[in-house]
Amino acid sequence: MAMHNPPHPGEFITEVYLAPNGISGRELGEMLDVAASTLSRILKGTSRVTPEMALRLSKAVGRSPESWLAMQDAHDLWVARQHVDLQRVGKLRLAAA
């Protein structure tokens, strides 16, 4: 079942880890060993969580790298479903195997 409007990982990080614990994005960026601007783009939802960032987040805050990538994919797929018009896309007919 598809999730309705799944959060971007940056939103999730802010709401679950940063805000409740009084941690700034700059502090987390230092822990992740990335530029503050890099993490800021993720927190704002303008950049994706990459496999490299998923590894960093996994070590710094927990959850598996796969879960960070799955969260990003779920968000990206939901956004694509809102914008991609599939009306003219056909279906390939394959012979039975």
Side-chain angles (χ1 to χ4, degrees):
M1 183 170 161
M3 182 185 261
H4 175 71
N5 194 7
H8 184 280
E11 179 184 351
F12 181 82
I13 292 166
T14 299
E15 292 180 5
V16 174
Y17 297 106
L18 301 185
N21 295 291
I23 300 170
S24 71
R26 185 171 297 280
E27 289 174 282
L28 180 58
E30 289 175 9
M31 286 183 208
L32 295 170
D33 192 31
V34 298
S37 59
T38 299
L39 183 61
S40 177
R41 287 189 301 274
I42 291 171
L43 296 177
K44 291 178 183 175
T46 58
S47 287
R48 301 183 83 249
V49 169
T50 63
E52 179 184 325
M53 183 59 76
L55 291 169
R56 293 171 185 272
L57 287 167
S58 180
K59 182 170 182 182
V61 300
R63 302 175 58 99
S64 70
E66 293 83 3
S67 72
W68 289 111
L69 293 174
M71 186 182 301
Q72 183 67 62
D73 285 345
H75 173 77
D76 291 349
L77 185 57
W78 186 85
V79 169
R81 282 186 170 132
Q82 308 314 303
H83 301 288
V84 175
D85 181 4
L86 300 175
Q87 292 287 339
R88 296 181 54 188
V89 176
K91 186 165 184 168
L92 185 62
R93 296 173 195 227
L94 302 171

